[in-house]
Amino acid sequence: GAGVSQTPSNKVTEKGKYVELRCDPISGHTALYWYRQSLGQGPEFLIYFQGTGAADDSGLPNDRFFAVRPEGSVSTLKIQRTERGDSAVYLCASSFRRGAQLTEQFFGPGTRLTVL
Amino acid sequence: SQELEQSPQSLIVQEGKNLTINCTSSKTLYGLYWYKQKYGEGLIFLMMLQKGGEEKSHEKITAKLDEKKQQSSLHITASQPSHAGIYLCGADSSGGSNYKLTFGKGTLLTVNP
């Protein structure tokens, strides 16, 4: 089966612009996660969805960042008024629940965002 | 907040050699994950450890979690060029709910043929 897919693979934008990054999780995975990875660093948690709702958005850096998952499958990460410091690779992951436990997270290839 | 320190930061080995990567946590680990990442690609799940003293192996890679659950090691036996990449350890920092991972900075492994 297909893994997690993310589009676009690369996005170059200008400071102040709005961007949307899309994540298509593995079919049947109810849990979806967004992470951000800066150069030389490990991924940093942004937000976790269980179904359609954001169960934990404590990692979103500020109110310019917002994510949705309206039908419990595809998710979109939205960044308003982009800043140069937003440049990073944005990773999406998904997993399913086995009993009471969430399984390991399967990651997509990421979207490399560059803000000029 | 939980912090993970990985050592070494980078490692160059000759093909066929064994190597070990370490991951040390500032807090007791609920769950410890090992992932591998190649440039331009996502993270590939390797193994997950939860119990103190646990050890898991897959092909030539073995991961261990110490009894105190604050340190993990990843050991590769008879390394191959295909093992090259960045190895990341990640800890469950959601108190056992397993949804929020905190990662170390990674160890860059180069295997020379």
Side-chain angles (χ1 to χ4, degrees), chain A:
Chain A
V4 177
S5 62
Q6 293 187 244
T7 54
S9 55
N10 278 286
K11 176 71 177 178
V12 180
T13 190
E14 293 178 343
K15 180 175 178 297
K17 299 289 187 184
Y18 168 82
V19 296
E20 288 190 350
L21 312 179
R22 176 188 165 111
C23 172
D24 212 325
I26 293 172
S27 178
H29 280 194
T30 56
L32 185 145
Y33 317 82
W34 285 98
Y35 289 81
R36 177 168 72 171
Q37 187 175 23
S38 300
L39 196 62
Q41 305 292 318
E44 176 189 20
F45 171 84
L46 296 178
I47 187 169
Y48 155 56
F49 284 91
Q50 183 58 48
T52 60
D56 187 332
D57 64 358
S58 61
L60 294 177
N62 50 60
D63 61 6
R64 295 186 298 105
F65 289 75
F66 190 69
V68 295
R69 196 187 184 200
E71 296 178 1
S73 179
V74 170
S75 176
T76 305
L77 178 66
K78 308 180 181 194
I79 310 174
Q80 297 178 322
R81 303 183 304 279
T82 51
E83 299 178 357
R84 293 195 180 90
D86 297 336
S87 297
V89 175
Y90 288 81
L91 294 164
C92 177
S94 69
S95 70
F96 64 96
R97 194 172 287 278
R98 186 182 290 130
Q101 184 86 351
L102 286 166
T103 65
E104 64 273 15
Q105 298 178 22
F106 294 86
F107 282 79
T111 293
R112 182 174 299 276
L113 175 66
T114 303
V115 182
L116 301 176

Side-chain angles (χ1 to χ4, degrees), chain B residues 1-7 21-34 49 64-66 68-73 89-94 100-105:
Chain B
S1 62
Q2 184 156 32
E3 292 186 2
L4 293 178
E5 188 167 329
Q6 287 188 237
S7 62
I21 297 168
N22 293 300
C23 176
T24 302
S25 173
S26 58
K27 297 182 178 181
T28 300
L29 293 159
Y30 286 101
L32 189 285
Y33 296 77
W34 283 100
L49 304 164
K64 300 179 186 179
L65 183 61
D66 75 337
K68 292 184 179 179
K69 294 174 64 175
Q70 282 197 275
Q71 193 163 33
S72 178
S73 61
C89 63
D92 170 16
S93 52
S94 53
K100 184 176 183 178
L101 299 184
T102 297
F103 286 91
K105 291 184 177 182

Side-chain angles (χ1 to χ4, degrees), chain B residues 22-88:
Chain B
N22 293 300
C23 176
T24 302
S25 173
S26 58
K27 297 182 178 181
T28 300
L29 293 159
Y30 286 101
L32 189 285
Y33 296 77
W34 283 100
Y35 283 87
K36 179 185 172 186
Q37 184 175 32
K38 291 208 162 185
Y39 181 78
E41 299 178 15
L43 281 64
I44 299 167
F45 172 74
L46 297 174
M47 275 171 276
M48 175 194 159
L49 304 164
Q50 280 188 306
K51 300 175 185 175
E54 188 173 10
E55 179 176 320
K56 288 186 178 178
S57 292
H58 178 68
E59 297 181 341
K60 295 184 178 181
I61 301 177
T62 300
K64 300 179 186 179
L65 183 61
D66 75 337
E67 289 289 345
K68 292 184 179 179
K69 294 174 64 175
Q70 282 197 275
Q71 193 163 33
S72 178
S73 61
L74 186 83
H75 184 78
I76 299 177
T77 304
S79 57
Q80 300 168 349
S82 61
H83 288 128
I86 299 171
Y87 288 82
L88 291 153

